[in-house]
Amino acid sequence: MTERPAYGADDTHEPAPRWLTDEEQRTWRAYLHATTLLEDHLDRLLQRDAGMPHIYYGLLVHLSEAPRRRMRMTDLAEGLKITRSRLSHAVARLEKSGWVRREECPSDKRGQLAVLTDEGFAMLSRTAPGHVEAVRGALFDRLTPEQVTQLGDICRTIATGLQPECGDLPWRR
Amino acid sequence: MTERPAYGADDTHEPAPRWLTDEEQRTWRAYLHATTLLEDHLDRLLQRDAGMPHIYYGLLVHLSEAPRRRMRMTDLAEGLKITRSRLSHAVARLEKSGWVRREECPSDKRGQLAVLTDEGFAMLSRTAPGHVEAVRGALFDRLTPEQVTQLGDICRTIATGLQPECGDLPWRR
DNA sequence: GTGAAGTGCTTGAGACTTCAAATAAAGCTC
DNA sequence: GAGCTTTATTTGAAGTCTCAAGCACTTCAC
């Protein structure tokens, strides 16, 4: 994607782009393939077993772990690393399915709480084992324990660098 | 997502699910956060600079490297790890923008070739340096060379396990 | 308090993805 | 070479995501 290309004819006076090395390039493509395939795979499985894409499923899991199984919309969006708008649409959809319910926030009249319903909880109970197996089968059963540690470190580094609050670093242009 | 949960009440006679360990769980969440944030980040940048999501950009790059800058639809879909249907829609959109053109396949009348236009090539030349910088800034400049190697190995392992042809392994249920 | 600015959340339109169904051309078998 | 199956691709509808407004409430400063 970001390779030292045949294009990028360097007759401008821009500073020469630091193209990716061969290894970086191979790694980048492997990353794109792995993440594309894994997301598709999990989406397909959860669509079949729970009738929703896996980000929606993650939303329900997140709620299930919150005190009283409810959270402010903004906190939920931050926890899931998605925009409020996307969350709003997602909750609307999950509300229609009956897995989530909205409640007014007592302390702030602008606020809304997303609440996991009993039906939602029951659905998680049913589908969680299958989902764990899918994640294991695609990821953890294929990696060595060292690789799991490495992947965790790498992902934390990437995620940290992309948190919204780091929004105006130079490479964000 | 796939944790040892409060739900999953184990009063059934199913085999006990192998819940994720703490470290696996942390790694899994870090993975989800990193991939979500990185995809959003690159999408936003490329939407701004090239007017398309980064998978479409990847499509153009892939074409730019092919002999005569053209490829059969099916090969392109496989190379990008996306479905033919998605590719079909994507090419239709890129055709409207003028970056890609379709051609009949001489050897197989069912076939179509996606061809990168000169305008598409020029657009890549313009935007590639910025895109490399974005990928570097978010990923390679933050990882050690060892981590880049590790990430490559890990992603290749994941991707290999999810190739379409491995479609009927037990954990795919 | 009152107005200005900020925060929390939703909405609608347009773009993208998925899934299932449709078309058209190969290839295979008798 | 006539059917049957398979392969290559497209289409349309339904669902999801993004972006830019929009509305309602809160906070801050005077």
Side-chain angles (χ1 to χ4, degrees), chain A:
Chain A
M1 309 282 134
T2 30
E3 45 282 61
R4 180 182 354 74
Y7 47 82
D10 237 331
D11 46 5
T12 68
H13 292 290
E14 310 282 326
R18 296 178 298 146
W19 301 115
L20 299 186
T21 66
D22 276 347
E23 170 158 32
E24 285 169 339
Q25 207 173 136
R26 279 199 311 276
T27 297
W28 179 234
R29 303 222 171 183
Y31 172 88
L32 291 174
H33 290 169
T35 54
T36 304
L37 288 167
L38 184 48
E39 168 147 28
D40 281 8
H41 178 58
L42 293 182
D43 267 350
R44 222 179 309 279
L45 251 38
L46 277 173
Q47 192 68 56
R48 188 195 60 183
D49 297 339
M52 65 184 75
H54 93 275
I55 186 121
Y56 285 30
Y57 188 88
L59 192 165
L60 298 184
V61 171
H62 213 90
L63 278 183
S64 77
E65 295 169 344
R68 308 189 52 229
R69 294 181 196 159
R70 66 199 62 210
M71 278 180 106
R72 285 289 296 267
M73 294 294 278
T74 296
D75 298 337
L76 192 47
E78 273 173 17
L80 296 168
K81 315 292 179 200
I82 61 176
T83 63
R84 297 156 210 257
S85 171
R86 185 174 179 181
L87 178 62
S88 216
H89 287 295
V91 167
R93 197 290 220 172
L94 291 170
E95 211 170 10
K96 259 186 224 159
S97 313
W99 313 132
V100 168
R101 167 168 40 87
R102 284 183 227 241
E103 268 180 21
E104 307 270 293
C105 174
S107 58
D108 184 337
K109 279 178 191 160
R110 293 166 305 179
Q112 290 278 109
L113 295 169
V115 186
L116 182 64
T117 63
D118 291 343
E119 293 76 27
F121 191 81
M123 192 276 290
L124 281 183
S125 306
R126 278 198 307 280
T127 53
H131 182 52
V132 190
E133 270 315 300
V135 173
R136 279 209 167 288
L139 196 65
F140 293 110
D141 287 352
R142 300 181 168 269
L143 300 181
T144 66
E146 297 75 47
Q147 285 182 310
V148 172
T149 306
Q150 292 164 4
L151 180 61
D153 288 341
I154 290 168
C155 288
R156 275 183 288 277
T157 300
I158 298 173
T160 304
L162 292 169
Q163 293 302 319
E165 53 269 29
C166 319
D168 20 43
L169 296 173
W171 52 268
R172 281 197 165 229
R173 319 180 81 231

